[in-house]
């Protein structure tokens, strides 16, 4: 008997109660995280256990993931670097430098708008936009 992993179902489960922001910024990941932590009160830390590894054209690409856990809640924030050596985690969003996944609990619309405004206030950030699930073609690349 063979068991087959249902990737579509796995992906759908992973993206339940999530929101995804795309961020265009001219700063390095560690500088961006430092600013998020110091200016906006987050505690993003690099989590090597959930780093995304993609293999394309006989090469390996590693996309770092930074994590912030909200105390006394199921809510987690994950910040992905969208590019590595000319490859993209989500090629359909090549113009985005970072992808911010909010997962684990429902986020109110107003809270999301306030977050976007706060992120936009950081030096080096050029654009922040919410990415809808329908527009994401390579959702599986975000699953750790």
């Amino acid at each position: 008997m063979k068991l087959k992993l249902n990737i579509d179902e796995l992906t759908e489960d992973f993206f339940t109660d999530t929101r995804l922001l795309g961020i265009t910024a001219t700063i390095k990941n560690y500088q961006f995280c430092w600013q998020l932590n110091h200016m906006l009160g987050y505690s993003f830390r690099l989590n090597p256990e959930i780093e995304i590894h993609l293999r394309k054209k006989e090469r390996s690409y590693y996309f770092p993931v930074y994590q912030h856990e909200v105390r006394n809640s199921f809510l987690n924030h994950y910040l992905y670097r969208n590019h590595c050596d000319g490859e993209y985690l989500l090629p359909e969003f090549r113009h985005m430098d970072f992808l911010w996944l909010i997962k684990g609990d429902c986020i109110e619309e107003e809270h999301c708008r306030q977050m976007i405004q706060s992120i936009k206030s950081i030096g080096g950030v050029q654009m922040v936009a919410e990415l809808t699930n329908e527009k994401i073609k390579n959702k599986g690349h975000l699953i750790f």
Side-chain angles (χ1 to χ4, degrees):
M1 180 173 132
K2 281 188 180 180
L3 295 177
K4 188 177 177 191
L5 187 61
N6 186 334
I7 299 298
D8 292 337
E9 210 172 277
L10 184 72
T11 302
E12 193 174 310
D13 285 349
F14 183 85
F15 283 95
T16 302
D17 281 335
T18 63
R19 291 187 99 139
L20 184 66
L21 305 176
I23 301 164
T24 304
T26 57
I27 51 181
K28 304 245 183 248
N29 8 343
Y30 63 89
Q31 293 171 317
F32 185 49
C33 286
W34 186 88
Q35 289 195 43
L36 289 170
N37 292 345
H38 285 81
M39 294 174 66
L40 304 180
Y42 288 95
S43 59
F44 277 102
R45 299 281 178 265
L46 183 61
N47 186 341
E49 292 178 15
I50 58 175
E51 177 179 71
I52 305 295
H53 172 236
L54 290 183
R55 190 142 176 84
K56 290 183 179 182
K57 303 173 199 149
E58 310 259 335
R59 280 194 62 200
S60 290
Y61 298 93
Y62 298 92
F63 299 89
V65 181
Y66 297 80
Q67 182 177 2
H68 163 76
E69 294 178 0
V70 178
R71 288 185 188 181
N72 304 320
S73 136
F74 294 110
L75 197 60
N76 280 291
H77 297 262
Y78 301 96
L79 189 67
Y80 302 76
R81 183 75 173 155
N82 192 34
H83 45 79
C84 172
D85 293 335
E87 279 298 329
Y88 295 89
L89 191 57
L90 294 184
E92 61 271 31
F93 297 111
R94 290 177 185 273
H95 58 291
M96 299 294 186
D97 297 302
F98 299 97
L99 303 164
W100 185 325
L101 181 72
I102 306 160
K103 178 176 173 44
D105 214 342
C106 193
I107 295 273
E108 297 297 323
E109 197 65 41
E110 182 57 31
H111 181 70
C112 193
R113 267 197 299 276
Q114 288 172 352
M115 275 183 62
I116 289 170
Q117 288 307 315
S118 297
I119 298 164
K120 283 180 180 177
S121 74
I122 291 176
V125 172
Q126 298 166 323
M127 185 181 88
V128 182
E130 185 162 7
L131 309 176
T132 58
N133 279 343
E134 302 79 55
K135 291 182 182 175
I136 306 168
K137 293 181 189 141
N138 295 289
K139 280 184 193 173
H141 290 180
L142 298 177
I143 297 175
F144 37 81

